[in-house]
Amino acid sequence: MWRSGTEVPAGSPQQKALLAMLLLHAGRVTGTDELAAALWDDEPPRGASGTLRTYVSRLRHLLHGTDATVETVSGGYALRTAPASVDVARFEALLSQGRRLGRAADLGGALAALTDALALWRGDGLDGVPGTYAANQRVRLQEERLAAITLRLATMLDTGGAVVAELTTMVEAHPYREDIRALLMRALYRDGRQADAIEVYQAGARLLADELGLDPGPALRDMYQRILVSDPGLVLTEPGQGGATTGHGAPGTQGAPLVRPAQLPADRHDFFGRQQELAWADALLDVEGAPTSAVISGMGGVGKSSLAIHWAHQNAGAFPDGQLYVDLRGFDHTQSPLDPDEALVRILESLGVRSDHVPDGLDARAALYRSTVAGRRVLVLLDNARDAAQVRPLLPGTSGSLALITSRDRLAALRVTGTAAVHLDTFGDADAGALLSRWVGPERVDADPTSLAAIVDATAGLPLALAVVGARLRDAPGVPLSAVASELRSAREVLDVLGDTDPAVDIRAVLSWSCTNLDPETLRALCQLAALPEAPFDAPAARSAMGRQDLTALETLTRASLLVQTGWHQYALHDLVRAYAGELAAESSEVRQGAIDRAMDHYIGSANEATVLLEPIRVPLDLISPAPGAEIVRPVDAAAALVWFGEHRGALQAAVETALAEGLDERVWQLAWCLATYLHRAEYWSDAIALWRVGLAAAERSGHVVGQARAHQGLGVALGVQTGLGPPGPYTPGSSHDIAHSARTHLEEAVRLYLSEGRQTAAAWVLVSLGSYNDEYSEQGVTTMALERAIELSDEPSLQALALNNLAVHYMTLGDAVHALATARAALARLATTDDALAVAHATDTLGIVQLAAGQVRDAAVSFRTAAVAFGEARDLKYQGASLANLGDAHAVAGDAAAAAAVRAEALALLDGTSDPVADRLRRLLGDEVGGSVRSA
């Protein structure tokens, strides 16, 4: 690692390995399990996750003051920094640039880029970084370095440079690399040393035969034959004189004259974006043994053909023997798909084969086609393919030529046999906004960025939809963006707004062509999936919506690019596909309503199961049996429940919106009750308050008294957090008397409603919350009365223990150490008959707080350590960190500054990357140096 020209030590070998892995992943999130396996060669030690957190904390300190940050993201880490600050990224970008410029015949530019790329190297790469992962990456990087050196020498040779000496050394160092040996043969031939070139070939042939029992490969044999016949293409010529060779030395033409078709449709002068996909296609020409076919797949209107045509024009020079274009009409509204028999006739005639020489039969025609393009460099753009069977006879049989295929189908059968593939997604918000800005002009965009964002959101980044809207806005300069944005806000109108008399650009028509190929069951499944909440969904949600276990329909829809697979058994519907499928579903209200009912049962039932695990002592929902076909997910423990909520938070919030839109008020407050448990736990208080208000309104509309009580309870707790309501321990006093009064009013109303329905235990839980106020507005004696009343109303040990726990904290704040200690011990005793490990851990931590306040420092330290261990076993990092922070306070009171600093650093490593105020307090206590090293991501 270097800073301002000075090398900066990157820490221990393992820490270097972590830094290297995060940098090589170039901003992508890397899971902790993957990191641990790499750092310790698949044998991570006990406590590896804690050690990783320590390394990350140190790296943040190391990177402080730079533009690089290590972020904590969903169970892993990502290092975000500018690519230009990472040597590997700069090297790979320059190498790609050199290849691209070489293909464009800009040899001077290519040589400069390759020289700059190689100048970045110091040593062998990842020097001093241990482990198998680093060793494998070192091999990969050395291969890329060797490729860069070889390409640089080939470019120098094509510009008249002297390279024989360096190539001779390289052949000695890499005797089995046939591409380097062939390059040396060409260099010797150009120097007038034909005999020496032949000797280099013969020496290589002997080596391969003696050591490996192999014959030379096609490229090396081809070079040998060309030297024997003195192929004029091997001689360096001035530009424009013909006889030019490619960077690999392949001849532009061989044998009999060949028609050089140039059939590519016109390129778009305003082509935009897709740099990553263009780089992927560029790389097809750069690899040894390049594929002879590649597929660009994606939904209708995503820009597959535009991308393929644009890339083909950019790289036409790499295919000097011709560029063919065939529209296979796989998804055409006017004509049936083109038969491969007919396609082959067109291709062969375009290549100069007389029509009377074209044989009958698909196999014979395909064989003649492969023979005709063998040894040549021809690009065949096969646009709009229906399936693999239509395409397979049209693929070249030898390297050098490339069939570039576009299709709405992923053509997975071709990928199995080695076809390269990329799936084209819709534009992200930034690219979509930039594209629309091109159409309407920056002035209109700057004047109304909010409407621009709304249009981008409504079109969901689909390039065709953006182009339709953009063209209309460009042709109507007086129409404000807000008018179009308003039209597009309605899902029922969006397809009408994006309609056109030309079916080729009418979004509804374009989507319909994708659906015409679906069988009835798959089309029915698409309509059912469209009834799911507007968020990504997983397999259990899909099975619930469809009412069956078989996921074949999902596979079919994914292949047809009507469904996006975002992860393992994770899916999403494009907004416009959802809108079109919703129109189809409206034709069968029974199918749609059944899907909605099963989806709601799935989300509410699964969320309730997870809620009970997160808060075993909480009063569960009274749910009716789910509809047949609805699948209920049951996490195995509280940690798994927390993960499930984290992964499904967006879907659950979308389910609330769906229930509201469908008038399902009881579902609304039930979803709020379940989801709010997670939102409270994760401290998303603003989201929780907004959700509870929606839930309360729904419960009042439905007249459900218990639903109203639950909503009042949740809203009171969420509001009360701002005035000190919450679990025992440090808190931040609120600043608003109105909020405190509102929170207390909601809780009191919840108690009244629960008692009116005979729900004494539920009322007791609310009283525990009400008695947990520790703010300046609480009336004298209210806390004690509420908590004692809660104990009277319920005989549940967990509830009584929590009430006693909070009562102990209250006595402590009053300075009554005797009652505080007795009450804290009583809370623990009450839990002795339960198996609620988390409740015991909280009570133990509270006992420690009370003991510390009473001056029993040693006993407090034991309690805090015991609680921290219990929280750790439950994988509750938040409260484990809080207990360790309390333990640090105990050490500090005891005068052991070193122990206090050590345990506080351990706590901060657990809480780093969170918004927990305890983390901020720890940073202040540990000082500026540590505070800067553990910046919150």
Side-chain angles (χ1 to χ4, degrees), residues 607-618 635 637-646 674-679 681-682 836 838 842 876:
N608 189 50
E609 292 287 333
T611 296
V612 170
L613 288 170
L614 286 182
E615 293 190 5
I617 54 180
R618 193 180 196 193
D637 55 24
L642 203 59
V643 171
W644 186 89
F645 266 122
C674 295
L675 177 56
T677 301
Y678 169 74
L679 295 177
R681 182 75 169 264
D836 191 342
L838 276 176
H842 280 293
D876 194 324

mmCIF file of all heavy atoms in Angstrom, residues 607-618 635 637-646 674-679 681-682 836 838 842 876:
data_model
loop_
_atom_site.group_PDB
_atom_site.id
_atom_site.type_symbol
_atom_site.label_atom_id
_atom_site.label_comp_id
_atom_site.label_asym_id
_atom_site.label_seq_id
_atom_site.Cartn_x
_atom_site.Cartn_y
_atom_site.Cartn_z
ATOM 1 N N ALA A 607 -44.090 -14.027 9.099
ATOM 2 C CA ALA A 607 -43.629 -12.939 9.968
ATOM 3 C C ALA A 607 -44.030 -13.192 11.411
ATOM 4 O O ALA A 607 -43.280 -12.885 12.349
ATOM 5 C CB ALA A 607 -44.193 -11.607 9.480
ATOM 6 N N ASN A 608 -45.210 -13.768 11.623
ATOM 7 C CA ASN A 608 -45.642 -14.077 12.989
ATOM 8 C C ASN A 608 -44.748 -15.137 13.615
ATOM 9 O O ASN A 608 -44.372 -15.039 14.793
ATOM 10 C CB ASN A 608 -47.101 -14.537 12.974
ATOM 11 C CG ASN A 608 -47.673 -14.660 14.376
ATOM 12 O OD1 ASN A 608 -47.560 -13.748 15.189
ATOM 13 N ND2 ASN A 608 -48.274 -15.810 14.675
ATOM 14 N N GLU A 609 -44.380 -16.166 12.833
ATOM 15 C CA GLU A 609 -43.467 -17.194 13.342
ATOM 16 C C GLU A 609 -42.122 -16.579 13.732
ATOM 17 O O GLU A 609 -41.544 -16.915 14.767
ATOM 18 C CB GLU A 609 -43.247 -18.269 12.273
ATOM 19 C CG GLU A 609 -44.461 -19.116 11.953
ATOM 20 C CD GLU A 609 -44.788 -20.102 13.066
ATOM 21 O OE1 GLU A 609 -43.858 -20.502 13.795
ATOM 22 O OE2 GLU A 609 -45.967 -20.473 13.194
ATOM 23 N N ALA A 610 -41.613 -15.674 12.896
ATOM 24 C CA ALA A 610 -40.335 -15.032 13.199
ATOM 25 C C ALA A 610 -40.455 -14.113 14.413
ATOM 26 O O ALA A 610 -39.541 -14.019 15.239
ATOM 27 C CB ALA A 610 -39.848 -14.245 11.983
ATOM 28 N N THR A 611 -41.609 -13.425 14.548
ATOM 29 C CA THR A 611 -41.822 -12.522 15.676
ATOM 30 C C THR A 611 -41.800 -13.280 17.001
ATOM 31 O O THR A 611 -41.204 -12.829 17.986
ATOM 32 C CB THR A 611 -43.169 -11.794 15.510
ATOM 33 O OG1 THR A 611 -43.116 -10.974 14.356
ATOM 34 C CG2 THR A 611 -43.487 -10.935 16.719
ATOM 35 N N VAL A 612 -42.444 -14.430 17.034
ATOM 36 C CA VAL A 612 -42.493 -15.231 18.259
ATOM 37 C C VAL A 612 -41.088 -15.662 18.674
ATOM 38 O O VAL A 612 -40.769 -15.733 19.872
ATOM 39 C CB VAL A 612 -43.412 -16.456 18.045
ATOM 40 C CG1 VAL A 612 -43.287 -17.431 19.197
ATOM 41 C CG2 VAL A 612 -44.854 -16.005 17.892
ATOM 42 N N LEU A 613 -40.223 -15.933 17.690
ATOM 43 C CA LEU A 613 -38.847 -16.310 18.020
ATOM 44 C C LEU A 613 -38.041 -15.114 18.524
ATOM 45 O O LEU A 613 -37.197 -15.251 19.424
ATOM 46 C CB LEU A 613 -38.161 -16.915 16.794
ATOM 47 C CG LEU A 613 -38.624 -18.308 16.394
ATOM 48 C CD1 LEU A 613 -38.057 -18.690 15.036
ATOM 49 C CD2 LEU A 613 -38.185 -19.339 17.446
ATOM 50 N N LEU A 614 -38.274 -13.948 17.940
ATOM 51 C CA LEU A 614 -37.544 -12.756 18.388
ATOM 52 C C LEU A 614 -38.001 -12.318 19.775
ATOM 53 O O LEU A 614 -37.199 -11.839 20.574
ATOM 54 C CB LEU A 614 -37.751 -11.607 17.396
ATOM 55 C CG LEU A 614 -37.007 -11.698 16.063
ATOM 56 C CD1 LEU A 614 -37.302 -10.458 15.226
ATOM 57 C CD2 LEU A 614 -35.517 -11.833 16.274
ATOM 58 N N GLU A 615 -39.294 -12.453 20.029
ATOM 59 C CA GLU A 615 -39.834 -12.072 21.329
ATOM 60 C C GLU A 615 -40.751 -13.185 21.830
ATOM 61 O O GLU A 615 -41.981 -13.114 21.690
ATOM 62 C CB GLU A 615 -40.607 -10.750 21.227
ATOM 63 C CG GLU A 615 -39.719 -9.554 20.913
ATOM 64 C CD GLU A 615 -40.459 -8.240 21.046
ATOM 65 O OE1 GLU A 615 -41.632 -8.247 21.481
ATOM 66 O OE2 GLU A 615 -39.876 -7.200 20.726
ATOM 67 N N PRO A 616 -40.143 -14.251 22.382
ATOM 68 C CA PRO A 616 -40.952 -15.416 22.803
ATOM 69 C C PRO A 616 -42.023 -15.043 23.826
ATOM 70 O O PRO A 616 -43.037 -15.731 23.948
ATOM 71 C CB PRO A 616 -39.911 -16.355 23.420
ATOM 72 C CG PRO A 616 -38.590 -15.878 22.910
ATOM 73 C CD PRO A 616 -38.725 -14.419 22.677
ATOM 74 N N ILE A 617 -41.775 -13.957 24.566
ATOM 75 C CA ILE A 617 -42.716 -13.602 25.635
ATOM 76 C C ILE A 617 -43.829 -12.682 25.140
ATOM 77 O O ILE A 617 -44.698 -12.287 25.905
ATOM 78 C CB ILE A 617 -41.957 -12.921 26.789
ATOM 79 C CG1 ILE A 617 -41.150 -11.736 26.272
ATOM 80 C CG2 ILE A 617 -41.031 -13.889 27.497
ATOM 81 C CD1 ILE A 617 -40.376 -10.994 27.340
ATOM 82 N N ARG A 618 -43.793 -12.342 23.875
ATOM 83 C CA ARG A 618 -44.799 -11.439 23.341
ATOM 84 C C ARG A 618 -46.095 -12.192 23.043
ATOM 85 O O ARG A 618 -46.075 -13.367 22.652
ATOM 86 C CB ARG A 618 -44.289 -10.805 22.058
ATOM 87 C CG ARG A 618 -45.111 -9.616 21.588
ATOM 88 C CD ARG A 618 -44.533 -9.063 20.309
ATOM 89 N NE ARG A 618 -45.041 -7.731 20.011
ATOM 90 C CZ ARG A 618 -44.886 -7.136 18.857
ATOM 91 N NH1 ARG A 618 -44.222 -7.731 17.889
ATOM 92 N NH2 ARG A 618 -45.362 -5.934 18.643
ATOM 93 N N PRO A 635 -38.490 -20.011 10.803
ATOM 94 C CA PRO A 635 -37.050 -19.968 11.109
ATOM 95 C C PRO A 635 -36.724 -20.855 12.304
ATOM 96 O O PRO A 635 -37.565 -21.082 13.192
ATOM 97 C CB PRO A 635 -36.800 -18.490 11.424
ATOM 98 C CG PRO A 635 -37.934 -17.750 10.761
ATOM 99 C CD PRO A 635 -39.107 -18.679 10.841
ATOM 100 N N ASP A 637 -34.397 -20.414 14.745
ATOM 101 C CA ASP A 637 -34.105 -19.757 16.014
ATOM 102 C C ASP A 637 -34.196 -18.247 15.825
ATOM 103 O O ASP A 637 -34.506 -17.759 14.731
ATOM 104 C CB ASP A 637 -32.722 -20.160 16.550
ATOM 105 C CG ASP A 637 -31.600 -19.906 15.552
ATOM 106 O OD1 ASP A 637 -31.769 -19.033 14.668
ATOM 107 O OD2 ASP A 637 -30.555 -20.568 15.653
ATOM 108 N N ALA A 638 -33.922 -17.512 16.902
ATOM 109 C CA ALA A 638 -34.055 -16.060 16.866
ATOM 110 C C ALA A 638 -33.092 -15.430 15.867
ATOM 111 O O ALA A 638 -33.445 -14.462 15.173
ATOM 112 C CB ALA A 638 -33.829 -15.480 18.261
ATOM 113 N N ALA A 639 -31.866 -15.965 15.794
ATOM 114 C CA ALA A 639 -30.891 -15.409 14.843
ATOM 115 C C ALA A 639 -31.384 -15.573 13.405
ATOM 116 O O ALA A 639 -31.287 -14.654 12.591
ATOM 117 C CB ALA A 639 -29.537 -16.085 15.027
ATOM 118 N N ALA A 640 -31.937 -16.748 13.099
ATOM 119 C CA ALA A 640 -32.469 -16.983 11.755
ATOM 120 C C ALA A 640 -33.692 -16.101 11.495
ATOM 121 O O ALA A 640 -33.904 -15.627 10.369
ATOM 122 C CB ALA A 640 -32.839 -18.460 11.593
ATOM 123 N N ALA A 641 -34.481 -15.858 12.537
ATOM 124 C CA ALA A 641 -35.647 -14.983 12.386
ATOM 125 C C ALA A 641 -35.210 -13.558 12.055
ATOM 126 O O ALA A 641 -35.814 -12.879 11.221
ATOM 127 C CB ALA A 641 -36.478 -14.990 13.665
ATOM 128 N N LEU A 642 -34.144 -13.107 12.709
ATOM 129 C CA LEU A 642 -33.629 -11.762 12.445
ATOM 130 C C LEU A 642 -33.145 -11.649 10.997
ATOM 131 O O LEU A 642 -33.385 -10.646 10.324
ATOM 132 C CB LEU A 642 -32.491 -11.460 13.416
ATOM 133 C CG LEU A 642 -32.177 -9.990 13.682
ATOM 134 C CD1 LEU A 642 -33.383 -9.265 14.244
ATOM 135 C CD2 LEU A 642 -30.991 -9.873 14.624
ATOM 136 N N VAL A 643 -32.462 -12.693 10.530
ATOM 137 C CA VAL A 643 -31.997 -12.710 9.141
ATOM 138 C C VAL A 643 -33.191 -12.687 8.188
ATOM 139 O O VAL A 643 -33.200 -11.961 7.192
ATOM 140 C CB VAL A 643 -31.111 -13.945 8.884
ATOM 141 C CG1 VAL A 643 -30.816 -14.097 7.401
ATOM 142 C CG2 VAL A 643 -29.807 -13.833 9.664
ATOM 143 N N TRP A 644 -34.210 -13.492 8.503
ATOM 144 C CA TRP A 644 -35.398 -13.554 7.627
ATOM 145 C C TRP A 644 -36.049 -12.178 7.529
ATOM 146 O O TRP A 644 -36.393 -11.724 6.426
ATOM 147 C CB TRP A 644 -36.405 -14.571 8.176
ATOM 148 C CG TRP A 644 -37.566 -14.796 7.250
ATOM 149 C CD1 TRP A 644 -37.659 -15.694 6.238
ATOM 150 C CD2 TRP A 644 -38.803 -14.052 7.240
ATOM 151 N NE1 TRP A 644 -38.871 -15.561 5.583
ATOM 152 C CE2 TRP A 644 -39.589 -14.577 6.183
ATOM 153 C CE3 TRP A 644 -39.315 -13.022 8.021
ATOM 154 C CZ2 TRP A 644 -40.858 -14.083 5.895
ATOM 155 C CZ3 TRP A 644 -40.577 -12.525 7.727
ATOM 156 C CH2 TRP A 644 -41.339 -13.061 6.678
ATOM 157 N N PHE A 645 -36.207 -11.505 8.651
ATOM 158 C CA PHE A 645 -36.804 -10.176 8.620
ATOM 159 C C PHE A 645 -35.950 -9.209 7.807
ATOM 160 O O PHE A 645 -36.464 -8.396 7.028
ATOM 161 C CB PHE A 645 -36.983 -9.632 10.039
ATOM 162 C CG PHE A 645 -38.345 -9.891 10.630
ATOM 163 C CD1 PHE A 645 -38.485 -10.590 11.814
ATOM 164 C CD2 PHE A 645 -39.486 -9.427 9.996
ATOM 165 C CE1 PHE A 645 -39.730 -10.830 12.360
ATOM 166 C CE2 PHE A 645 -40.739 -9.658 10.536
ATOM 167 C CZ PHE A 645 -40.863 -10.361 11.724
ATOM 168 N N GLY A 646 -34.627 -9.277 7.996
ATOM 169 C CA GLY A 646 -33.742 -8.390 7.254
ATOM 170 C C GLY A 646 -33.863 -8.588 5.762
ATOM 171 O O GLY A 646 -33.823 -7.619 4.979
ATOM 172 N N CYS A 674 -46.427 -7.524 13.145
ATOM 173 C CA CYS A 674 -45.294 -8.434 12.968
ATOM 174 C C CYS A 674 -44.029 -7.696 12.527
ATOM 175 O O CYS A 674 -42.950 -7.897 13.103
ATOM 176 C CB CYS A 674 -45.636 -9.510 11.937
ATOM 177 S SG CYS A 674 -46.954 -10.626 12.447
ATOM 178 N N LEU A 675 -44.162 -6.844 11.531
ATOM 179 C CA LEU A 675 -42.976 -6.172 10.997
ATOM 180 C C LEU A 675 -42.391 -5.193 12.007
ATOM 181 O O LEU A 675 -41.163 -5.034 12.083
ATOM 182 C CB LEU A 675 -43.341 -5.431 9.703
ATOM 183 C CG LEU A 675 -42.223 -4.617 9.040
ATOM 184 C CD1 LEU A 675 -41.006 -5.488 8.756
ATOM 185 C CD2 LEU A 675 -42.730 -3.975 7.748
ATOM 186 N N ALA A 676 -43.245 -4.573 12.813
ATOM 187 C CA ALA A 676 -42.742 -3.589 13.767
ATOM 188 C C ALA A 676 -41.822 -4.215 14.803
ATOM 189 O O ALA A 676 -40.920 -3.552 15.319
ATOM 190 C CB ALA A 676 -43.910 -2.889 14.447
ATOM 191 N N THR A 677 -42.017 -5.491 15.107
ATOM 192 C CA THR A 677 -41.100 -6.157 16.038
ATOM 193 C C THR A 677 -39.664 -6.050 15.535
ATOM 194 O O THR A 677 -38.747 -5.713 16.289
ATOM 195 C CB THR A 677 -41.484 -7.642 16.175
ATOM 196 O OG1 THR A 677 -42.820 -7.738 16.650
ATOM 197 C CG2 THR A 677 -40.543 -8.363 17.134
ATOM 198 N N TYR A 678 -39.491 -6.317 14.252
ATOM 199 C CA TYR A 678 -38.149 -6.213 13.665
ATOM 200 C C TYR A 678 -37.699 -4.761 13.588
ATOM 201 O O TYR A 678 -36.540 -4.443 13.895
ATOM 202 C CB TYR A 678 -38.137 -6.840 12.276
ATOM 203 C CG TYR A 678 -36.879 -6.544 11.504
ATOM 204 C CD1 TYR A 678 -35.683 -7.186 11.823
ATOM 205 C CD2 TYR A 678 -36.869 -5.601 10.474
ATOM 206 C CE1 TYR A 678 -34.517 -6.899 11.128
ATOM 207 C CE2 TYR A 678 -35.714 -5.316 9.771
ATOM 208 C CZ TYR A 678 -34.546 -5.967 10.105
ATOM 209 O OH TYR A 678 -33.383 -5.682 9.425
ATOM 210 N N LEU A 679 -38.593 -3.865 13.196
ATOM 211 C CA LEU A 679 -38.209 -2.461 13.074
ATOM 212 C C LEU A 679 -37.781 -1.894 14.424
ATOM 213 O O LEU A 679 -36.831 -1.108 14.508
ATOM 214 C CB LEU A 679 -39.375 -1.644 12.510
ATOM 215 C CG LEU A 679 -39.814 -1.983 11.079
ATOM 216 C CD1 LEU A 679 -41.023 -1.144 10.672
ATOM 217 C CD2 LEU A 679 -38.673 -1.783 10.090
ATOM 218 N N ARG A 681 -36.528 -3.724 16.885
ATOM 219 C CA ARG A 681 -35.268 -4.406 17.222
ATOM 220 C C ARG A 681 -34.098 -3.771 16.464
ATOM 221 O O ARG A 681 -33.005 -3.622 17.012
ATOM 222 C CB ARG A 681 -35.395 -5.889 16.859
ATOM 223 C CG ARG A 681 -34.194 -6.743 17.191
ATOM 224 C CD ARG A 681 -34.122 -7.019 18.689
ATOM 225 N NE ARG A 681 -33.145 -8.040 18.981
ATOM 226 C CZ ARG A 681 -33.409 -9.329 19.141
ATOM 227 N NH1 ARG A 681 -34.672 -9.734 19.037
ATOM 228 N NH2 ARG A 681 -32.479 -10.197 19.420
ATOM 229 N N ALA A 682 -34.339 -3.415 15.198
ATOM 230 C CA ALA A 682 -33.277 -2.837 14.375
ATOM 231 C C ALA A 682 -33.205 -1.313 14.513
ATOM 232 O O ALA A 682 -32.363 -0.674 13.876
ATOM 233 C CB ALA A 682 -33.503 -3.206 12.907
ATOM 234 N N ASP A 836 -35.814 -18.964 28.698
ATOM 235 C CA ASP A 836 -35.629 -17.749 27.909
ATOM 236 C C ASP A 836 -34.228 -17.188 28.175
ATOM 237 O O ASP A 836 -34.020 -16.357 29.068
ATOM 238 C CB ASP A 836 -36.708 -16.725 28.279
ATOM 239 C CG ASP A 836 -36.747 -15.544 27.311
ATOM 240 O OD1 ASP A 836 -35.755 -15.359 26.584
ATOM 241 O OD2 ASP A 836 -37.755 -14.822 27.304
ATOM 242 N N LEU A 838 -32.316 -15.176 26.455
ATOM 243 C CA LEU A 838 -32.118 -13.745 26.227
ATOM 244 C C LEU A 838 -32.662 -12.920 27.393
ATOM 245 O O LEU A 838 -32.044 -11.923 27.795
ATOM 246 C CB LEU A 838 -32.806 -13.321 24.931
ATOM 247 C CG LEU A 838 -32.007 -13.538 23.639
ATOM 248 C CD1 LEU A 838 -32.844 -13.171 22.425
ATOM 249 C CD2 LEU A 838 -30.730 -12.707 23.646
ATOM 250 N N HIS A 842 -30.522 -10.287 29.663
ATOM 251 C CA HIS A 842 -30.891 -8.901 29.959
ATOM 252 C C HIS A 842 -30.962 -8.664 31.469
ATOM 253 O O HIS A 842 -30.484 -7.624 31.964
ATOM 254 C CB HIS A 842 -32.245 -8.575 29.327
ATOM 255 C CG HIS A 842 -32.173 -8.265 27.866
ATOM 256 N ND1 HIS A 842 -31.554 -7.149 27.371
ATOM 257 C CD2 HIS A 842 -32.652 -8.937 26.776
ATOM 258 C CE1 HIS A 842 -31.639 -7.124 26.047
ATOM 259 N NE2 HIS A 842 -32.294 -8.206 25.658
ATOM 260 N N ASP A 876 -26.558 -12.155 19.419
ATOM 261 C CA ASP A 876 -27.138 -10.824 19.532
ATOM 262 C C ASP A 876 -25.988 -9.842 19.747
ATOM 263 O O ASP A 876 -25.628 -9.514 20.886
ATOM 264 C CB ASP A 876 -28.136 -10.766 20.682
ATOM 265 C CG ASP A 876 -29.008 -9.517 20.629
ATOM 266 O OD1 ASP A 876 -28.482 -8.461 20.221
ATOM 267 O OD2 ASP A 876 -30.195 -9.600 20.997
#
